[in-house]
């Protein structure tokens, strides 16, 4: 089963979700930020998204796993591809923020959500957390009071979410049989997909469909960016619903360069930073790629493990969850270090070194550096406070 990842920005964040119907094992996250970027998120189906508004990003400007990111001004963060030496930074504390552990293997009720199973995450500047599972929920921070924004997606499958800094939620959903993908701003449809199509060179609103969304991101102008796994490119949907190619030739492969030259393989998530730079994750190659506002694409991390969710904060630190090893890690100047968790799946709070997660997915970071993780198989959102 393919997995999609979502990136977010307010703290920039992304998360992954497994394609298909929601389950406790899939989650995605997203974060929203301020500035030109947006936050998105979600791990759930391995699909994720970012939202516009100024992303405060859980991450602020993403620093890439690459060399030390320059990210000055509006420029894109750069770093040498590759480098993933590991270290340990286990000095935080882990606690449950929202939700309840599963009973008899199933997620139970939390607030007004009858089956709270966090997948995608996003965050606005208030901050409020946004959670997508079989519903779309808004949770206050602090207090963890839940309000249901969308109670059901009917026969459709949610596959991406993004939230602006001002708290405007965007989400994408695909019909159960994959005929089309629709994008909503709140309860208003802004793009009603036609049968899947990869013809997107300035196509008029309603004239084309999307291949298969693996996450969305939204910028401050309300443009939605779609990681289109089926068409091997990142596509842009204007507020008027006009679709255009943003980066990628549509031919599967691996190549950096200008937007009309770049090639992608299995896109699994997307997010955006405060400068308008997009970040995508490829699940087969484990690459994290950066796409500048002009579409130019570069590789900033060449080996990013099995990411379940990711976020980039204001210090240009990349935070991510690993759904295979049940760990939370961060990347600073090409150095990867463990933040919390161990390889044993479980549900344990306390000191980061002893904490346990079970299939962690969506990740976002708030302006104070607190990290929120959609711990999907545990049916809870975990909070990691860092020194």
């Amino acid at each position: 089963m393919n997995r999609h990842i979502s990136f977010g920005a307010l703290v920039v964040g992304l998360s992954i979700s497994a394609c298909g119907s929601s389950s406790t094992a899939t989650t995605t996250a997203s974060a929203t930020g301020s500035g030109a970027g947006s936050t998105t998120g979600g791990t759930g189906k391995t699909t994720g998204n970012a939202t516009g508004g100024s992303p405060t990003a859980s991450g602020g400007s993403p620093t890439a796993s690459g060399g030390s990111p320059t990210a000055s001004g509006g420029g894109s963060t750069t770093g040498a591809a590759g480098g993933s030496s590991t270290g340990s930074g286990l000095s935080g504390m882990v606690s449950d923020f929202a939700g309840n552990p599963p009973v008899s293997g199933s997620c139970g009720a939390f607030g007004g959500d009858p089956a709270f199973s966090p997948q995608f995450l996003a965050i606005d500047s208030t901050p409020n957390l946004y959670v997508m599972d079989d519903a779309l929920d808004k949770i206050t921070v602090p207090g963890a009071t839940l309000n249901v924004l969308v109670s059901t997606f009917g026969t459709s499958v949610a596959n991406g979410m993004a939230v602006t800094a001002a708290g405007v939620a965007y989400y994408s959903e695909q019909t159960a049989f994959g005929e089309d993908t629709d994008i909503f701003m709140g309860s208003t449809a802004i793009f009603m997909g036609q049968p899947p199509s990869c013809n997107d060179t300035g196509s008029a609103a309603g004239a084309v469909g999307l291949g298969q969304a693996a996450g969305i991101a939204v910028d401050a102008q309300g443009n939605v960016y779609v990681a289109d796994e089926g068409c091997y490119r990142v596509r842009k949907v204007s507020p008027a619903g006009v679709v255009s190619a943003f980066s990628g030739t549509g031919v599967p492969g691996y190549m950096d360069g200008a937007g009309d030259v770049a090639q992608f393989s299995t896109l699994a998530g997307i997010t955006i930073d405060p400068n308008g730079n997009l970040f995508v994750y490829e699940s087969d190659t484990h690459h994290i790629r950066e796409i500048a506002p002009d579409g130019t694409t570069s590789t900033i991390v060449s080996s990013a493990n099995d990411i379940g969710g990711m976020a980039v904060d204001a210090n240009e630190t990349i935070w991510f969850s690993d759904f295979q090893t049940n760990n939370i890690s961060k990347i600073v100047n090409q150095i990867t270090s463990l933040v919390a968790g161990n390889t044993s799946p479980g549900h344990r709070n306390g000191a980061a070194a002893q904490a346990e997660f079970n299939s962690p997915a969506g990740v976002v970071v708030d302006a104070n550096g607190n990290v929120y993780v959609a711990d999907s198989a545990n049916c809870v959102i975990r909070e990691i406070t860092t020194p």
Side-chain angles (χ1 to χ4, degrees):
M1 169 167 57
N2 293 334
R3 291 183 66 87
H4 307 159
I5 293 181
S6 72
F7 290 63
L10 176 51
V11 198
V12 168
L14 96 134
S15 50
I16 298 177
S17 62
C19 293
S21 58
S22 315
S23 71
T24 58
T26 63
T27 45
T28 71
S30 82
T32 167
S34 59
S38 65
T39 7
T40 158
T43 325
K45 308 179 57 161
T46 319
T47 163
N49 34 81
T51 148
S54 77
T56 102
S58 152
S61 341
T63 124
S65 145
S68 112
T70 72
S72 64
S76 67
T77 320
T78 61
S84 67
S85 44
T86 60
S88 178
L90 302 179
S91 55
M93 297 294 292
V94 179
S95 60
D96 287 353
F97 175 76
N100 299 299
V103 177
S104 300
S106 299
C107 293
F110 177 73
D113 190 330
F116 185 73
S117 54
Q119 299 178 23
F120 298 88
L121 290 183
I123 192 168
D124 65 21
S125 59
T126 303
N128 294 300
L129 281 177
Y130 296 77
V131 186
M132 181 178 279
D133 48 20
D134 289 328
L136 177 58
D137 303 324
K138 177 180 177 180
I139 302 177
T140 58
V141 180
T145 300
L146 182 146
N147 294 299
V148 177
L149 302 181
V150 179
S151 60
T152 179
F153 299 106
T155 60
S156 297
V157 176
N159 57 10
M161 178 181 66
V163 177
T164 68
V168 179
Y170 290 74
Y171 68 90
S172 60
E173 64 178 26
Q174 188 171 33
T175 57
F177 298 102
E179 289 92 348
D180 59 70
T181 295
D182 302 329
I183 298 174
F184 294 80
M185 180 181 69
S187 60
T188 303
I190 61 172
F191 178 83
M192 298 301 290
Q194 301 298 311
S197 168
C198 295
N199 176 24
D200 58 1
T201 53
S203 301
V208 301
L210 300 172
Q212 182 176 351
I216 62 174
V218 181
D219 66 20
Q221 290 71 47
N223 296 299
V224 178
Y225 298 88
V226 181
D228 195 328
E229 179 183 11
C231 294
Y232 304 102
R233 58 168 52 131
V234 174
R235 305 168 79 178
K236 179 180 178 180
V237 181
S238 75
V242 177
V243 181
S244 60
F246 186 71
S247 184
T249 63
V251 177
Y254 170 69
M255 183 175 293
D256 287 335
D260 59 355
V261 171
Q263 292 182 333
F264 300 94
S265 53
T266 306
L267 289 168
I270 185 169
T271 193
I272 191 167
D273 76 5
N275 296 318
N277 302 303
L278 294 167
F279 293 80
V280 297
Y281 173 75
E282 295 168 291
S283 59
D284 55 348
T285 62
H286 304 291
H287 289 153
I288 296 174
R289 315 274 293 278
E290 180 180 5
I291 306 173
D294 64 358
T296 300
T297 300
S298 58
T299 301
I300 58 173
V301 182
S302 60
S303 180
N305 301 328
D306 292 309
I307 292 179
M310 182 168 73
V312 186
D313 69 18
N315 297 316
E316 300 183 347
T317 297
I318 295 178
W319 305 79
F320 66 91
S321 64
D322 189 318
F323 62 85
Q324 294 287 1
T325 62
N326 300 296
N327 292 328
I328 311 301
S329 299
K330 65 180 179 180
I331 301 172
V332 180
N333 297 337
Q334 262 187 302
I335 305 300
T336 301
S337 60
L338 187 62
V339 173
N342 54 62
T343 56
S344 300
H347 183 192
R348 178 187 296 177
N349 290 318
Q354 283 74 48
E356 292 177 349
F357 299 82
N358 196 348
S359 298
V363 175
V364 294
V365 183
D366 68 18
N368 296 317
N370 300 306
V371 182
Y372 298 88
V373 180
D375 196 356
S376 63
N378 281 325
C379 308
V380 295
I381 295 173
R382 313 285 290 281
E383 180 180 5
I384 305 171
T385 55
T386 56

